[in-house]
Amino acid sequence: KKREEEKKKREKKKKKKKKLMKKSTKIFTGLFAFTFMFAACDQLAFDFTQELVKEFIVEILSGSNGQGTVSVTEQLNLKDGDLDKHRDKIKSAEVKSVVVRFADYVGKDSAMYSGAFQMPNLLPDIYYMNDLDISDYAKNNKELVIYEKDGTSFPDDANFPGDELIAALNEQLLNPTMDQIDFVYTLSGTEFPVVFKATLAVNFNASVGPN
């Protein structure tokens, strides 16, 4: 009889232990599922802001008939940062601004240069810019604003189809097969030699959707 009672006690303990294990398993499974669902929901959609930049050197060392001209062709890299990381999941992109920055200017003060800007693989049209004192922009950290949403939009050339260029740029930010965008920056003036560093900066917002 005593042995039977001890056997019953052992079986009761085993059943209790099994119940506790089942309960613990359910709690763990629930927590895991909740964590997974929370992480998945967190990745469903989000926005980010990024600036694509390309630095290049401009040199106008000599001229012809008193006029110095230089044309620089460069590439804006699209395989960069969050844009490259989330390219196949981006649902929309909107360019906020396109600016040129100047630095490390060497040359005569108040040297005035007219310019032109083009992104030939997006639009064949050329944007022509008025005379610019590059030394002033470089020494005072001023930005040459080419485009700014709800603000400046290709101000020097009323005939330039700026909306078309920005629309094409927005479209290519969504194109996973587009690795870079070519641009051509041309300057012309009567003062030389002139050397400086320029930076094209394109700032945009993007929205990433679910997989």
Side-chain angles (χ1 to χ4, degrees):
K1 189 176 180 180
K2 193 173 181 180
R3 287 182 179 178
E4 287 179 359
E5 287 177 355
E6 286 178 353
K7 187 178 180 182
K8 286 180 180 179
K9 284 182 180 179
R10 286 196 298 269
E11 288 176 352
K12 193 174 182 181
K13 283 183 180 180
K14 284 182 180 179
K15 287 180 180 179
K16 191 175 181 181
K17 190 175 181 181
K18 284 182 179 179
K19 284 183 179 179
L20 286 172
M21 287 179 69
K22 284 183 179 180
K23 191 174 182 181
S24 299
T25 302
K26 285 181 180 179
I27 292 171
F28 177 79
T29 304
L31 286 172
F32 178 81
F34 176 79
T35 303
F36 179 80
M37 287 175 64
F38 180 82
C41 289
D42 189 49
Q43 292 299 315
L44 283 179
F46 61 92
D47 298 336
F48 69 89
T49 299
Q50 186 174 338
E51 185 173 75
L52 300 171
V53 297
K54 176 61 181 182
E55 292 186 354
F56 54 99
I57 302 298
V58 178
E59 295 181 321
I60 306 175
L61 304 179
S62 60
S64 177
N65 298 319
Q67 190 80 10
T69 301
V70 65
S71 185
V72 180
T73 300
E74 290 288 351
Q75 291 77 38
L76 188 67
N77 180 27
L78 301 183
K79 294 181 70 64
D80 182 60
D82 284 336
L83 177 63
D84 183 43
K85 184 178 179 181
H86 304 293
R87 199 77 176 279
D88 59 335
K89 303 180 189 69
I90 295 176
K91 301 304 179 184
S92 65
E94 182 179 45
V95 172
K96 307 297 286 185
S97 66
V98 179
V99 303
V100 181
R101 303 180 184 120
F102 304 95
D104 304 334
Y105 176 85
V106 178
K108 184 178 178 180
D109 288 344
S110 302
M112 304 297 292
Y113 276 82
S114 58
F117 177 78
Q118 182 188 28
M119 288 183 164
N121 54 343
L122 300 187
L123 198 69
D125 303 67
I126 299 173
Y127 170 60
Y128 293 99
M129 295 176 279
N130 295 336
D131 287 349
L132 181 72
D133 183 352
I134 295 174
S135 65
D136 176 53
Y137 275 74
K139 292 174 182 177
N140 294 294
N141 296 317
K142 294 164 61 177
E143 292 183 337
L144 172 61
V145 180
I146 295 177
Y147 170 81
E148 192 171 50
K149 181 174 169 56
D150 301 326
T152 301
S153 181
F154 304 92
D156 295 342
D157 188 349
N159 295 318
F160 182 75
D163 291 344
E164 290 183 32
L165 178 62
I166 297 302
L169 190 50
N170 288 338
E171 185 178 339
Q172 293 311 315
L173 290 174
L174 300 174
N175 183 357
T177 65
M178 178 68 81
D179 293 339
Q180 63 185 33
I181 293 176
D182 296 338
F183 67 91
V184 182
Y185 186 57
T186 303
L187 285 175
S188 181
T190 58
E191 299 292 343
F192 43 85
V194 169
V195 179
F196 59 89
K197 179 174 72 177
T199 302
L200 175 68
V202 176
N203 185 282
F204 67 93
N205 291 341
S207 295
V208 177
N211 295 337

